[in-house]
């Protein structure tokens, strides 16, 4: 097995009843790494079986094996690119057949792509790539799960993993901010259109979550990290388990009358200024920022 920071917890203190998600099947895109991996683990520790999706087949299979072994539940790796609807549908069909033709009850759209780039250097292809993965990918998977499972099984729950980037127009993030704004809009539209079919749809927006690819890519390993920390009212970075616990609440019956919301789990960070323009200019000296 390859080295990975995506290891399961040595111990987990359940915040909820341990069989809260018993007999459910959860599908998590991006479940092979980072926040998605921990969400999958914590869901499984609450009794459900899981399907995880991502493009890197070996990493995904290794993650599924670790998750199954740590939790005693079943986790199926379903490699695919969320931008390709036929590939997604066939991966889902195959995974459900491995689970004895059960239905998906919970969908988490966590797959995303990001990088830091000033708008005056960003190409249309770069902008489109991030929109495609985050927004179009979330729509493709939501439609696929709705058609194949929710519409035939009295409904289900969708949780879209978003971000707060666009609330204040963070620098170097025009592509990701636009993509997550679209994701949050999709949450509301699907919540309205599919509500009477038993489908709840919500967004969860993490703040800076340590020990993740997203955190590293957005400055978590740079001198900027200290400034980011100082701007967080709760005075610490988030953990993957913080996000997973909030996700358990939103997909569980405890949230059975909650639909169409975006829950921000960021220690209050979005309300303060993390990166002043003077710092952003230093990050991208070639840009006209
Ligand atoms: N700066 C500016 N533009 C960039 C870029 C960067 N660092 N990285 C990619 N792009 C743009 C380019 O226009 C590129 O096209 P080009 O190579 O022809 O110029 C375009 O994005 C597509 O990049 P590519 O690497 O071909 O796309 P991909 O689909 O293989 O990968 C990414 C998508 C770029 C988002 C990649 O970083 C990824 O797979 N990320 C997943 C993990 C991740 O980002 N996690 C954090 C989640 S918050
Ligand atoms: P991550 O580990 O890189 O997670 C992204 C996942 O998406 C990876 O498992 C990746 O797997 C998958 N993915 C990317 N493109 C895909 C595609 N085209 N098809 C299928 N799967 C794809 O990063 P993370 O930081 O944990 O981020 C997880 C989520 O949290 C993302 O939605 C992100 O926007 C959000 N978020 C993170 C932070 C943070 O601080 N980390 C803050 C705010 C929001 P493959 O590469 O194998 O495809």
């Amino acid at each position: 097995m390859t080295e990975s920071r995506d290891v399961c917890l040595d111990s987990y203190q359940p915040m909820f009843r341990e069989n809260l998600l018993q007999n459910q099947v959860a599908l998590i895109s991006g479940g092979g790494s980072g926040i998605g991996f921990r969400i999958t683990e914590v869901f499984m520790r609450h009794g459900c079986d899981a399907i995880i999706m991502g493009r890197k087949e070996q990493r995904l299979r290794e993650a599924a094996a670790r998750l199954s072994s740590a939790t005693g539940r079943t986790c199926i790796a379903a490699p695919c690119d969320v931008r390709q609807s036929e590939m997604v549908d066939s991966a889902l069909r195959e995974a459900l057949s491995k689970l004895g033709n059960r239905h998906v009850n919970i969908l988490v759209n966590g797959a995303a792509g990001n990088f830091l780039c000033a708008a005056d250097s960003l190409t249309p292809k770069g902008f489109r790539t991030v929109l495609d993965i985050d927004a179009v990918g979330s729509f493709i998977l939501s439609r696929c799960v709705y058609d194949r499972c929710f519409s035939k099984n009295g409904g289900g729950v969708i949780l879209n993993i978003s971000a707060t980037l666009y609330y204040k127009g963070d620098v170097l993030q025009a592509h990701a901010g636009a993509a997550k704004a679209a994701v949050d809009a999709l949450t509301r539209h699907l919540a309205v259109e599919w509500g009477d079919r038993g489908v709840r749809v919500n967004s969860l927006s993490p703040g800076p979550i340590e020990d993740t690819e997203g955190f590293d890519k957005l400055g978590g390993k740079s001198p900027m990290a200290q400034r980011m920390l100082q701007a967080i009212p709760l005075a610490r970075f988030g953990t993957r388990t913080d996000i997973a616990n909030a996700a358990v609440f939103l997909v569980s019956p405890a949230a059975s009358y909650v639909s169409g919301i975006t829950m921000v789990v960021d220690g209050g960070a979005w309300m303060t200024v993390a990166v002043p323009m003077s710092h952003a200019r230093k990050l991208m000296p070639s840009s006209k920022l």
Side-chain angles (χ1 to χ4, degrees):
M1 286 208 173
T2 53
E3 284 273 327
S4 167
R5 62 178 162 191
D6 293 309
V7 288
C8 293
L9 292 159
D10 288 334
S11 65
Y12 173 70
Q13 186 60 47
M15 297 283 169
F16 306 91
R17 184 162 43 83
E18 283 181 72
N19 64 353
L20 192 64
L21 304 179
Q22 194 99 43
N23 301 323
Q24 309 264 302
V25 173
L27 163 54
I28 299 97
S29 74
S33 68
I35 291 171
F37 180 90
R38 183 60 50 79
I39 289 175
T40 309
E41 177 186 350
V42 172
F43 280 13
M44 291 173 78
R45 288 185 187 279
H46 286 87
C48 72
D49 296 314
I51 300 166
I52 54 176
M53 288 181 167
R55 294 161 301 170
K56 298 187 188 106
E57 186 165 345
Q58 190 186 349
R59 179 172 78 168
L60 201 67
R61 293 199 189 287
E62 290 176 359
R66 279 197 299 278
L67 287 160
S68 296
S69 140
T71 64
R73 307 297 315 179
T74 303
C75 182
I76 307 285
C80 64
D81 187 323
V82 293
R83 292 168 286 189
Q84 317 268 349
S85 55
E86 283 175 18
M87 193 194 272
V88 167
D89 192 50
S90 110
L92 175 59
R93 203 176 51 236
E94 199 178 307
L96 289 174
S97 115
K98 286 181 185 159
L99 283 173
N101 293 316
R102 290 163 70 197
H103 283 289
V104 172
N105 309 97
I106 298 164
L107 166 64
V108 178
N109 282 306
N114 202 2
F115 43 79
L116 288 178
C117 188
D120 60 10
S121 313
L122 184 65
T123 62
K125 184 178 174 190
F127 186 83
R128 194 177 293 119
T129 296
V130 174
L131 265 287
D132 267 352
I133 301 172
D134 296 23
V136 182
S138 295
F139 175 72
I140 286 175
L141 198 46
S142 299
R143 260 303 302 277
C144 185
V145 169
Y146 177 83
D147 289 352
R148 206 166 267 290
C149 302
F150 292 174
S151 64
K152 296 173 182 156
N153 198 33
V157 186
I158 299 176
L159 183 60
N160 293 322
I161 306 300
S162 186
T164 61
L165 305 163
Y166 71 93
Y167 297 1
K168 295 200 298 188
D170 281 6
V171 286
L172 313 176
Q173 288 288 270
H175 45 303
K180 295 302 195 182
V183 166
D184 286 344
L186 183 65
T187 289
R188 293 182 182 188
H189 287 285
L190 297 186
V192 169
E193 288 201 26
W194 293 348
D196 67 353
R197 297 151 208 199
V199 182
R200 293 193 299 108
V201 190
N202 291 299
S203 285
L204 195 171
S205 284
I209 305 303
E210 62 191 3
D211 213 9
T212 63
E213 175 102 16
F215 184 70
D216 293 352
K217 280 190 163 184
L218 304 191
K221 282 190 166 163
S222 73
M224 211 172 68
Q226 204 46 38
R227 283 203 157 257
M228 286 159 63
L229 182 58
Q230 285 164 1
I232 300 173
L234 289 185
R236 68 170 176 89
F237 290 121
T239 67
R240 291 176 289 166
T241 306
D242 287 327
I243 303 305
N245 284 332
V248 172
F249 166 71
L250 284 172
V251 304
S252 79
S256 63
Y257 203 49
V258 180
S259 199
I261 68 154
T262 297
M263 180 189 278
V264 179
V265 183
D266 75 339
W270 78 269
M271 295 177 286
T272 64
V273 177
V275 188
M277 289 308 288
S278 54
H279 270 66
R281 284 190 186 94
K282 280 183 211 146
L283 275 174
M284 289 278 152
S286 62
S287 143
K288 296 186 201 76
L289 266 178

